Amino acid sequence: MNKVIGVAAHVDAGKTTFSESLMYHSQTIKTKGRVDHQNSHLDTHPLEKKRGITIFTDQAILKYQGDKYFLLDTPGHIDFSPEMERTLKVLDYLIIIVSAVEGIEGHTERVWELAAEESLPVFFFINKCDRKGAGASRILTELKNDFSQDIFHIPALENEMPDSKLIEFSAERNEKLLKLYLAEKLDKEIFLQEIKKMIQQRKIFMAASGSALNDSGVKEFFGRLSLLTETFYQKKEEEQLQALLYKISHDQNQNRISHIKVLSGSLQVRDELEYQQNDRILKEKITEMRFYSGRSYQNTDQVKAGEIAGVLGLTEARVGTTFGKLDNQKNCKQQTALKTKVIYADKVNTRKLLEAFKILEAEDPSLNIAWNSKTKEIQVNVMGRVQLEILKSLVKQRFGYQIDFARPNIIYKETIKGKVKGYGHFEPLKHYAEVHLQIEAAPRNSGIIFENRASIDDLSKGLQNLIKQHILEKEHRGILTGSPLTDLKITLLTGRAHQKHTSGGDFKEATYRALRQGLEKANNLLLEPFYEFKIKVELNHLGRVISDIEKANGSFSSPVIDGDQAVIKGKAPAANFEDYPVRLRTFTGGRGIITLKFYGYDTCHNKLEVIDASSYDKNNDPEYPSSSIFCARGKGYTVSWDQVESEMHLL
């Protein structure tokens, strides 16, 4: 059967070394590579070899005990977590590697949480048991206390499975098995099938321990994984196509590779795939398909259910695109809290450099590349400074451009309180469009919601859709700092066109003016990104942590005390908490654990300071005037936003 398994961990837990061992024991490779020797089979990119960390998810295809495995080795550094998060969406099982020395670390917690969100079955491997200070039993206790009491430690010995301890463990958590156990009807095949179901349903989790570097315990773990996991893709091969594009890359010839997992049905070379891109339905033909394993690949004419392949021929499909009867556009675009601008020499062709960054954005949608026409800047969203260093090297290596980045800034957003109506009219000579909008606050972190209440007696369906397109086609600027608008419900109330004079672009002008006129009347709010945190420290450091959170304008719930440890949860502005993991590690001697994840946006704690620093002039933004233009006696004239309602034709 086909099984897609992923390996994830906090950086330096030994994840790639573990993956190399799986490849070795499946006879996929003859000798194991090492990260520190720069010869691992899965860290194939020169930047990964140079830095000794995984940056891109790499794939290997293994055959073991009659099954075909697609092994995905994910990045462990937090700056590349979007790559890891996208990979989780195509896994059948996840293996989390935990160091027997450091134990649960920040990224370990995040991986566990994401696995729960994706309903992924999880196996644990406690690694580096050969190291000084290692303690597998101590780490197992940590995993049970912090993650789940339903974790079972599999013996390293090649004893029969399921053994008596696993039978007792599973019977305690399964009513059917408990009845059989009490009746002493110990049919091990029945127990094995039920245990497989419990693992799939995340009712129990298997753990093992050893040393990937010294090849201790890995082979035994792989045998247990093989025995205790199953998939049902063979039954789905005759069904209609369902597939998900989870990653985009480019080969040495700059061919665009769409990495697709087939969930049901199959793909054939020369198949025509239909998919949705925004409001368009596109059809493109598959020209080539590849099974990648490490540095190499093999061409294939068919990809079956449960398999992952690189597909050529799809020019516009994005990460998250779905094919067949699957919910359209899986959300694979993670939000980030930081943005920066690209610094480059005057002689560089800006258009070509922007095209290069758009290629990188296709591979990592979280970059959210934008061209600021006002400041003439290429803007990039990022997770952190390590990512910027990698991007700088990538642009030089792949496209030949020497660039740098400005110091990253916080990404602010704007919204409003309450509800207002906005009016826009655009009627210079031989043009005509009028738009009426209702703009109201929407739930926090909901983005922009559009509703249409216009009558076709006033506006044709085509023009109504055109106004909707103009509302949703881009991020619009607010009036406080020029930051993107969010958390708004925008309703089209009515509008008017002219049979003779309305032409292309008129409704864009009227829509933008209506939006801005409404904002001028509203109670505008500035929002900033927040991190949600979980901090675990020794009790003697708790007072310092609470003081730091309060100084950062954060909030928290009452700490939970467990022996000499304290756990505190809350949220804090990203601007004040971005560097806190480093500070925490310093004053706790490396024993403090912090998990940070993007919480979303909330009211800015230093609004006036941020507005002043932005230097945004709402009255000098030519793309977003709040005034309207009317026509009288063959000549257009401008009416300011506070006088415009008296001039509207539909009021």
Side-chain angles (χ1 to χ4, degrees):
M1 63 181 69
N2 295 323
K3 300 178 183 179
V4 180
I5 60 174
V7 185
H10 191 91
V11 67
D12 291 334
K15 172 180 50 59
T16 299
T17 305
F18 175 85
S19 299
E20 295 277 324
S21 292
L22 294 185
M23 295 173 67
Y24 176 75
H25 287 297
S26 63
Q27 298 182 339
T28 305
I29 56 177
K30 293 181 179 180
T31 57
K32 292 188 295 180
R34 287 180 53 161
V35 174
D36 54 341
H37 292 174
Q38 298 187 8
N39 64 349
S40 60
H41 293 77
L42 288 176
D43 284 345
T44 59
H45 198 282
L47 290 174
E48 294 178 311
K49 294 180 181 296
K50 181 180 178 181
R51 288 183 167 267
I53 60 173
T54 301
I55 299 170
F56 311 100
T57 295
D58 279 306
Q59 174 181 305
I61 299 178
L62 325 177
K63 291 186 178 178
Y64 188 72
Q65 295 187 352
D67 294 329
K68 185 177 183 181
Y69 288 86
F70 292 81
L71 171 65
L72 302 178
D73 181 28
T74 68
H77 196 286
I78 191 171
D79 278 16
F80 309 105
S81 57
E83 175 94 354
M84 180 270 295
E85 293 181 32
R86 292 189 290 270
T87 302
L88 295 190
K89 296 181 181 297
V90 296
L91 299 183
D92 297 318
Y93 295 91
L94 174 65
I95 304 167
I96 298 179
I97 309 297
V98 185
S99 168
V101 180
E102 287 81 11
I104 295 174
E105 299 177 270
H107 198 56
T108 320
E109 293 241 12
R110 182 62 182 142
V111 171
W112 169 255
E113 292 174 356
L114 289 168
E117 291 175 13
E118 297 292 337
S119 299
L120 265 176
V122 171
F123 284 72
F124 293 96
F125 187 80
I126 302 171
N127 193 26
K128 300 188 177 182
C129 290
D130 57 321
R131 290 266 302 276
K132 183 179 179 180
S137 59
R138 171 175 56 86
I139 303 305
L140 183 64
T141 300
E142 275 189 29
L143 291 171
K144 288 184 175 182
N145 290 340
D146 288 9
F147 292 170
S148 173
Q149 289 295 322
D150 299 316
I151 298 174
F152 178 81
H153 188 261
I154 306 170
L157 299 175
E158 282 280 11
N159 58 321
E160 187 179 359
M161 290 291 286
D163 66 4
S164 58
K165 290 184 179 180
L166 180 53
I167 287 174
E168 291 179 12
F169 178 85
S170 55
E172 291 172 357
R173 293 160 173 79
N174 183 303
E175 188 174 341
K176 176 181 177 180
L177 295 184
L178 181 61
K179 289 179 180 178
L180 292 173
Y181 181 77
L182 294 175
E184 297 185 355
K185 296 180 179 179
L186 299 179
D187 185 323
K188 290 198 173 183
E189 187 59 35
I190 293 177
F191 269 80
L192 183 59
Q193 289 303 315
E194 286 297 317
I195 289 168
K196 288 180 181 180
K197 291 179 185 177
M198 294 172 73
I199 291 172
Q200 283 184 329
Q201 296 166 1
R202 290 178 51 87
K203 293 181 178 179
I204 58 176
F205 307 91
M206 299 293 106
S209 55
S211 169
L213 185 61
N214 291 337
D215 200 22
S216 169
V218 179
K219 181 179 179 181
E220 293 80 5
F221 173 85
F222 203 0
R224 302 297 193 269
L225 178 77
S226 176
L227 181 68
L228 297 174
T229 59
E230 62 181 351
T231 59
F232 302 95
Y233 290 115
Q234 285 178 311
K235 298 178 181 179
K236 298 181 178 181
E237 288 180 4
E238 301 303 320
E239 297 179 7
Q240 287 186 318
L241 175 68
Q242 289 185 317
L244 171 65
L245 194 167
Y246 77 98
K247 176 182 175 178
I248 288 174
S249 65
H250 292 78
D251 65 15
Q252 292 180 339
N253 298 319
Q254 288 302 308
N255 292 312
R256 193 175 196 263
I257 316 295
S258 300
H259 297 266
I260 294 175
K261 180 182 181 183
V262 177
L263 303 172
S264 68
S266 64
L267 289 178
Q268 315 277 341
V269 173
R270 293 182 293 279
D271 276 355
E272 189 173 63
L273 285 182
E274 180 179 291
Y275 61 93
Q276 183 174 335
Q277 192 65 274
N278 297 326
D279 293 328
R280 297 183 299 152
I281 301 297
L282 302 176
K283 291 183 179 181
E284 293 188 299
K285 186 175 291 186
I286 297 174
T287 58
E288 185 181 343
M289 296 193 298
R290 303 170 177 176
F291 283 137
Y292 277 90
S293 189
R295 302 174 180 85
S296 61
Y297 67 84
Q298 289 184 336
N299 288 98
T300 181
D301 291 329
Q302 183 182 44
V303 182
K304 298 179 181 179
E307 295 183 327
I308 291 176
V311 175
L312 282 72
L314 305 179
T315 60
E316 295 192 51
R318 300 173 182 171
V319 171
T321 296
T322 56
F323 307 93
K325 292 193 172 182
L326 195 64
D327 292 339
N328 283 331
Q329 297 297 327
K330 298 287 183 180
N331 182 20
C332 294
K333 188 172 183 177
Q334 293 83 359
Q335 293 194 66
T336 57
L338 302 173
K339 68 177 178 180
T340 183
K341 67 177 181 179
V342 183
I343 300 173
Y344 53 94
D346 292 339
K347 63 181 180 180
V348 172
N349 186 316
T350 304
R351 181 181 60 82
K352 290 186 177 180
L353 180 59
L354 182 59
E355 289 174 356
F357 270 98
K358 284 295 184 180
I359 290 174
L360 295 176
E361 182 188 33
E363 298 173 0
D364 182 0
S366 68
L367 294 176
N368 197 25
I369 305 299
W371 169 252
N372 188 320
S373 57
K374 182 179 179 181
T375 60
K376 307 298 182 185
E377 295 172 349
I378 298 174
Q379 297 179 338
V380 185
N381 289 11
V382 293
M383 296 291 293
R385 291 178 175 81
V386 174
Q387 185 186 15
L388 287 179
E389 295 174 20
I390 297 298
L391 279 173
K392 182 178 176 180
S393 298
L394 272 178
V395 172
K396 173 65 175 177
Q397 181 187 87
R398 288 178 56 179
F399 307 105
Y401 295 113
Q402 188 72 45
I403 64 160
D404 207 340
F405 294 97
R407 180 180 174 85
N409 295 314
I410 294 294
I411 301 173
Y412 293 93
K413 295 191 177 184
E414 298 183 32
T415 189
I416 69 168
K417 274 186 178 180
K419 182 190 301 185
V420 294
K421 290 182 179 178
Y423 304 96
H425 190 95
F426 185 69
E427 192 187 0
L429 189 62
K430 296 184 178 180
H431 292 268
Y432 188 97
E434 183 167 304
V435 173
H436 295 201
L437 302 174
Q438 179 173 279
I439 308 164
E440 59 189 303
R444 191 66 71 237
N445 300 307
S446 61
I448 302 295
I449 303 167
F450 179 83
E451 184 177 317
N452 186 3
R453 292 189 202 162
S455 168
I456 57 173
D457 293 335
D458 297 325
L459 277 177
S460 70
K461 201 66 179 175
L463 290 176
Q464 292 177 23
N465 289 334
L466 183 60
I467 294 170
K468 175 183 177 180
Q469 176 186 325
H470 290 318
I471 292 293
L472 301 177
E473 66 188 353
K474 59 180 290 186
E475 289 184 325
H476 298 288
R477 291 192 284 276
I479 65 174
L480 299 177
T481 63
S483 297
L485 290 169
T486 190
D487 300 346
L488 294 176
K489 180 181 178 182
I490 301 176
T491 304
L492 173 60
L493 300 175
T494 189
R496 178 177 287 183
H498 191 283
Q499 188 173 5
K500 180 179 179 181
H501 295 311
T502 297
S503 58
D506 291 356
F507 271 93
K508 179 178 181 179
E509 287 280 352
T511 300
Y512 283 19
R513 292 167 190 269
L515 181 62
R516 182 55 67 103
Q517 197 265 349
L519 293 179
E520 291 280 9
K521 298 185 292 182
N523 181 358
N524 290 268
L525 295 178
L526 185 65
L527 305 177
E528 67 177 330
F530 276 71
Y531 286 135
E532 185 177 345
F533 62 79
K534 177 181 177 183
I535 301 173
K536 184 176 181 180
V537 292
E538 295 172 350
L539 278 178
N540 59 311
H541 294 301
L542 180 59
R544 166 73 182 271
V545 170
I546 289 175
S547 175
D548 288 345
I549 295 170
E550 290 174 341
K551 289 178 182 177
N553 293 97
S555 59
F556 56 91
S557 55
S558 298
V560 176
I561 309 299
D562 183 12
D564 63 348
Q565 299 281 318
V567 176
I568 186 167
K569 298 179 180 180
K571 65 175 185 175
N576 297 340
F577 229 61
E578 177 194 355
D579 298 326
Y580 196 67
V582 176
R583 291 162 52 199
L584 179 73
R585 190 171 185 84
T586 300
F587 73 75
T588 63
R591 293 186 295 275
I593 297 173
I594 182 170
T595 305
L596 286 180
K597 67 178 181 180
F598 187 81
Y599 168 79
Y601 280 79
D602 213 333
T603 306
C604 182
H605 76 283
N606 57 339
K607 171 182 174 179
L608 296 180
E609 179 184 335
V610 174
I611 291 174
D612 184 60
S614 74
S615 301
Y616 177 70
D617 183 358
K618 66 178 183 179
N619 298 316
N620 191 28
D621 189 338
E623 189 177 7
Y624 289 98
S626 56
S627 59
S628 283
I629 297 176
F630 293 83
C631 188
R633 300 184 180 89
K635 186 177 181 180
Y637 63 96
T638 301
V639 178
S640 65
W641 69 267
D642 54 340
Q643 302 293 322
V644 77
E645 292 176 38
S646 62
E647 301 273 351
M648 286 292 151
H649 292 179
L650 289 173
L651 287 177

